[in-house]
Amino acid sequence: MKVWHNLCSKLITKQNIFRGFQEFLKGKRTKKDVIGFGEDKENNLKELQKKLENKTYLPGGYSQFFVHDPKPRTIHKASVIDRIVHHIVSDILEKIFEPTFIHHSYACRKDKGTHRGVLALQKMAIKESLNNTRICWVLKCDIKKFFAGVNHEILLKIFAERIKDQDFLNLLGKIITSFHSDKTRDPANKKGIPIGNLTSQFFSNVYMNEFDQYIKHKLKVKYYLRYADDFAFISHDKTYLLNLIEPIRKFLIQELDLELHPKKIIFGKFSSGIDFLGYIVFPKHILPRTKTKRRLLKKIKEKIEQFKSGKITEESLNQTIQSYYGFLVHANSYKFKQELQNSILFWLTE
């Protein structure tokens, strides 16, 4: 196992901090807090570098807001300074841990994502069903309150196995312990990473990579894939899949202090369609989920209302519409796309 040393010395250079700031700026230049930070950019970045060099940097608090996508979620937003730190830290974490991840882990990774995950599930199931000539079963599971349940001590222990730079570990510790969820019961054993942090995306993949390795190398499951805390197993043998549930449950509890969601352990026949990551996956086609279509229509209507009242620009509206068209590209959804286009035209002209 490769271990990493002398990471902080590369992290805190002026060049690296400025690069992290430039990465952070993408898509955020018009935000009020970013504009305010940019008015004294040189001094602000210089002060950040000084704090990192002196090891006096401490993350600030979080502002929070709520989204429904599709279920209610609380998003925690860090300060501009903290988000710049998240960028430079995440770059290092990616170099260390990306090579250790399994191929079929699809969340928050380059050249992965929901669309590729859905296509991978279809491809796996076609193989296991011998091109849909035998019954093929899919077991889907997810973790109860995953982001709120990530154990700080366990996460730091995973990092310490590969990272032998105490200064960098201390910085990771500051970021991790800057937030804890209401799921924390023991003050000495805190839990939770904030939805919304760039670092949380990497933390979740590093944390769940322990589970991936167990599935592939201990249980030796052939057809398995994961997106964040949603994961699926595929086999023609229903009993085999049923027998996976208990060892999975035990590993999550004993090794990661996580709980398998009891109401989201779902079996389905591939031929009947598998609901996965917003799509219904069939042997020969993929459809957008009905709930997803309803949510998509609702969000676009809301955006159009915001545009007509002057709250957002035409560019912002078009970006939203194009992102949803992009979602539909990956499904057999000609009729729904026509319905969507007609609805947009009607809402813009009513």
Side-chain angles (χ1 to χ4, degrees), residues 260-304:
L260 198 62
H261 202 304
K263 294 181 180 179
K264 294 186 179 179
I265 300 172
I266 300 168
F267 276 101
K269 287 183 181 178
F270 178 47
S271 58
S272 300
I274 301 301
D275 186 337
F276 192 61
L277 303 180
Y279 297 89
I280 309 296
V281 185
F282 293 91
K284 295 185 178 179
H285 63 287
I286 298 170
L287 298 176
R289 187 167 57 187
T290 301
K291 285 183 181 178
T292 304
K293 290 192 288 186
R294 287 199 202 107
R295 189 170 81 251
L296 188 152
L297 285 165
K298 181 182 176 183
K299 284 195 169 186
I300 288 185
K301 187 176 182 181
E302 288 173 353
K303 284 287 185 179
I304 289 174

Side-chain angles (χ1 to χ4, degrees), residues 145-162:
K145 295 184 178 179
F146 169 66
F147 281 91
V150 171
N151 185 301
H152 291 181
E153 184 180 353
I154 293 173
L155 179 57
L156 285 166
K157 213 174 273 186
I158 294 169
F159 282 133
E161 288 178 359
R162 289 187 176 271

Side-chain angles (χ1 to χ4, degrees), residues 152 177 180 183-191:
H152 291 181
T177 57
H180 64 85
K183 196 170 181 181
T184 295
R185 296 287 180 264
D186 179 3
N189 188 24
K190 292 182 178 179
K191 295 183 179 184

Side-chain angles (χ1 to χ4, degrees), residues 116-181:
R116 293 191 185 223
V118 166
L119 290 172
L121 183 139
Q122 185 186 51
K123 186 176 180 180
M124 287 178 181
I126 287 172
K127 283 184 179 179
E128 183 64 2
S129 66
L130 304 179
N131 202 18
N132 206 32
T133 60
R134 70 176 176 183
I135 293 175
C136 174
W137 296 89
V138 178
L139 167 64
K140 288 196 313 159
C141 308
D142 84 1
I143 292 165
K144 190 174 182 181
K145 295 184 178 179
F146 169 66
F147 281 91
V150 171
N151 185 301
H152 291 181
E153 184 180 353
I154 293 173
L155 179 57
L156 285 166
K157 213 174 273 186
I158 294 169
F159 282 133
E161 288 178 359
R162 289 187 176 271
I163 296 169
K164 301 304 177 185
D165 180 333
Q166 193 57 51
D167 289 337
F168 188 64
L169 286 173
N170 290 342
L171 179 58
L172 287 175
K174 288 176 181 180
I175 295 170
I176 291 166
T177 57
S178 69
F179 174 88
H180 64 85
S181 71

